[in-house]
Amino acid sequence: MKKILVVFGTRPEAIKMAPVIQELKKEEDWYETRVCVTAQHREMLDQVLDIFKINPDYDLNIMQPDQNLDEVVSKILIKLKSVLHDFQPDLVLVHGDTITTFSASLAAYLKKIKVGHVEAGLRTGDLFSPWPEEGNRKLTSVLANYHFAPTTLSKNNLLNEGIDESKIFITGNSVIDALQIIVNRIKDDKRLKFNIEKRIKKSGFIDFDSKYILVTGHRRENFGQGMQNICESLKFLAEKNPNINFLYPVHLNPNVRKPVNDLLSDVSNIKIVEPFEYEEFVYLMCKSYFILTDSGGIQEEAPSLGKPVLVMRDKTERPEAIESGTVKLVGSDKSKIVKEVQSLLDNYEEYQKMCKAINPYGDGKTSKRIAEILKD
Ligand code: UD1
Ligand code: UDP
């Protein structure tokens, strides 16, 4: 029997690893699966663990307010070492591009333990955009033995870097598995839908049947001037379009919260709220008019729901949905954000073109594929 240690630390990793853990745990004859959270995030991670009923076997509990990345790396290396010593896994499974992803891969490599990388091969080609995610992903690729690439494009990125083709598997992205689990849960359960609406109302946002734009923004490369530009654009747009609501669940990073609260808290049609649990957020994505974000995961989920997305970044490692026409890059420049949001609000034909539901990132069976491949 193979011993697999699944390691993750932040909200998006938890969402995307939850279905993978579910599938591995179903295969009890093949795998002994244990879960280790670094808790690079705390509250935002726990929200997801709760929704998917995951009880970690190990919790490194490393998060500090306004943490430094070098400290996060060193804490993970030191604390994970004893977990690896205790469990002696055959494989460490990591996800994506966070500092947890890279640090856990390095910790495993230093113990000569194999690494499986879920969501491998996404690239912008610019080490500083997104930063430090592009570097984390590339460094993890160097250390990994199994590369689970979501698309042909991500496989080709890995081949171009000299990764052995026999180690690359196109599986789709498990974010679509997670999204489908939640969408089906809500669809099949009237009581849950009622409770989700109740919890959203508790957050202070009561107009979810109105026309609203769902906003998120937290990228490190946008800290400072980028966040300032994003907030100023939102203020301008909200004042120009008093009939539109802007709903902004704000990431718990203090470098995000300060400019958002300073610049936007007194604009009447911008609702600043705490991060939503995943069920609520999926429900709100479905009901929104469109989404304005710099998030990676939301760029993958929204096309599947038929929701247009404007991405406040200069480059994206997820170009597939841009090619399909449901996602558009608008940068973090104030005039560009304002122009593109206003044009999507004003031009119904353009809006409808972006509303088609497509699934460039997966069919909801990614986790099953990964659990099958690892049997070999
Ligand atoms: C991290 C990832 C980023 C990912 C994002 C998802 C890195 C370098 N960055 O960025 O790739 O897109 O998560 O959200 O790995 N905080 C809390 N509670 C929480 C979470 C965060 O208080 O539950 C605050 C803390 O003050 C913490 C700070 O946010 O120190 C920053 O957290 P960190 O994980 O270092 O960076 P993120 O910006 O969240
Ligand atoms: N999300 C959530 N609650 C929120 C905002 C986002 O559950 O209030 C989900 C979202 O659906 C997506 C993931 O969190 O699956 C994205 O996480 P984040 O934006 O923190 O990170 P990124 O995707 O940019 O790495």
Side-chain angles (χ1 to χ4, degrees):
M1 187 186 294
K2 264 188 201 163
K3 289 162 76 173
I4 300 185
L5 185 70
V6 183
V7 184
F8 54 93
T10 65
R11 169 173 70 188
E13 290 166 85
I15 290 170
K16 293 166 169 185
M17 275 303 211
V20 178
I21 294 166
Q22 270 180 14
E23 288 303 323
L24 290 174
K25 290 213 166 181
K26 276 187 204 161
E27 302 280 3
E28 280 173 338
D29 294 342
W30 285 89
Y31 309 121
E32 182 185 351
T33 306
R34 290 198 195 167
V35 173
C36 172
V37 294
T38 62
Q40 176 183 332
H41 285 176
R42 188 70 273 170
E43 303 88 330
M44 286 161 57
L45 173 76
D46 292 344
Q47 282 183 328
V48 184
L49 298 178
D50 201 33
I51 291 289
F52 288 100
K53 301 193 170 33
I54 298 171
N55 288 313
D57 301 280
Y58 305 95
D59 188 334
L60 309 186
N61 198 22
I62 61 161
M63 197 197 84
Q64 292 296 317
D66 202 8
Q67 58 204 2
N68 292 316
L69 296 181
D70 37 16
E71 279 174 25
V72 174
V73 176
S74 55
K75 277 193 218 160
I76 293 175
L77 283 178
I78 291 164
K79 291 194 166 190
L80 196 53
K81 187 176 159 192
S82 46
V83 175
L84 296 176
H85 183 74
D86 174 60
F87 182 43
Q88 309 263 335
D90 301 299
L91 178 81
V92 167
L93 205 56
V94 297
H95 182 281
D97 60 7
T98 70
I99 211 77
T100 286
T101 317
F102 161 62
S103 312
S105 307
L106 181 58
Y109 167 73
L110 293 176
K111 288 259 176 216
K112 296 191 179 160
I113 296 168
K114 285 188 176 165
V115 174
H117 187 197
V118 181
E119 202 188 80
L122 282 64
R123 298 285 187 270
T124 60
D126 181 345
L127 267 179
F128 288 90
S129 179
W131 178 84
E133 289 80 7
E134 178 87 353
N136 288 337
R137 245 186 239 280
K138 288 187 84 165
L139 291 162
T140 304
S141 295
V142 173
L143 301 174
N145 306 79
Y146 297 85
H147 308 259
F148 300 110
T151 65
T152 310
L153 186 74
S154 39
K155 175 178 175 176
N156 288 340
N157 290 336
L158 293 166
L159 290 174
N160 288 339
E161 287 173 15
I163 308 278
D164 185 344
E165 187 164 12
S166 65
K167 296 179 177 172
I168 309 172
F169 307 88
I170 300 180
T171 55
N173 195 316
S174 59
V175 72
I176 305 300
D177 307 19
L179 182 67
Q180 288 183 1
I181 291 171
I182 301 303
V183 167
N184 290 334
R185 252 192 225 175
I186 299 173
K187 204 163 62 189
D188 296 343
D189 189 340
K190 281 202 179 106
R191 192 167 180 78
L192 177 62
K193 192 175 155 209
F194 174 80
N195 284 333
I196 286 173
E197 288 188 354
K198 204 163 115 186
R199 292 199 295 257
I200 293 169
K201 282 179 189 159
K202 243 190 189 166
S203 78
F205 186 69
I206 47 166
D207 288 341
F208 49 78
D209 284 324
S210 68
K211 205 187 235 188
Y212 66 88
I213 299 172
L214 189 57
V215 183
T216 79
H218 69 84
R219 299 242 74 83
R220 270 177 199 261
E221 69 271 15
N222 280 342
F223 288 176
Q225 192 56 48
M227 278 309 298
Q228 180 89 13
N229 293 346
I230 289 172
C231 292
E232 284 174 7
S233 322
L234 286 172
K235 191 169 161 66
F236 181 87
L237 285 159
E239 282 166 357
K240 189 158 182 229
N241 300 278
N243 55 331
I244 305 286
N245 283 313
F246 293 75
L247 176 59
Y248 190 165
V250 187
H251 192 289
L252 295 179
N253 194 324
N255 299 290
V256 176
R257 293 176 84 78
K258 187 166 181 346
V260 170
N261 286 323
D262 287 354
L263 293 162
L264 300 179
S265 53
D266 61 351
V267 186
S268 62
N269 53 336
I270 299 184
K271 190 77 199 163
I272 309 285
V273 293
E274 294 300 313
F276 284 109
E277 288 194 359
Y278 190 47
E279 287 175 341
E280 276 106 284
F281 194 75
V282 169
Y283 188 77
L284 285 162
M285 278 198 285
C286 294
K287 292 214 138 214
S288 68
Y289 191 55
F290 63 83
I291 301 169
L292 182 61
T293 186
D294 64 10
S295 154
I298 297 170
Q299 286 179 63
E300 296 157 340
E301 293 166 332
S304 197
L305 300 170
K307 287 292 156 188
V309 184
L310 299 181
V311 178
M312 296 181 287
R313 296 195 196 185
D314 296 318
K315 292 178 183 165
T316 181
E317 64 284 60
R318 294 163 169 96
E320 292 88 345
I322 293 185
E323 276 153 32
S324 313
T326 61
V327 172
K328 199 166 181 183
L329 275 189
V330 302
S332 55
D333 176 72
K334 188 177 160 188
S335 60
K336 187 97 191 288
I337 296 173
V338 168
K339 180 171 160 274
E340 296 289 352
V341 172
Q342 196 61 51
S343 141
L344 200 53
L345 282 171
D346 293 343
N347 188 338
Y348 190 61
E349 213 176 301
E350 186 195 343
Y351 173 76
Q352 275 197 314
K353 272 196 218 147
M354 288 185 79
C355 278
K356 56 179 186 258
I358 50 155
N359 276 311
Y361 299 109
D363 57 1
K365 299 191 179 83
T366 296
S367 311
K368 272 197 176 62
R369 285 189 194 103
I370 293 172
E372 269 316 302
I373 291 162
L374 288 175
K375 285 179 184 169
D376 236 342

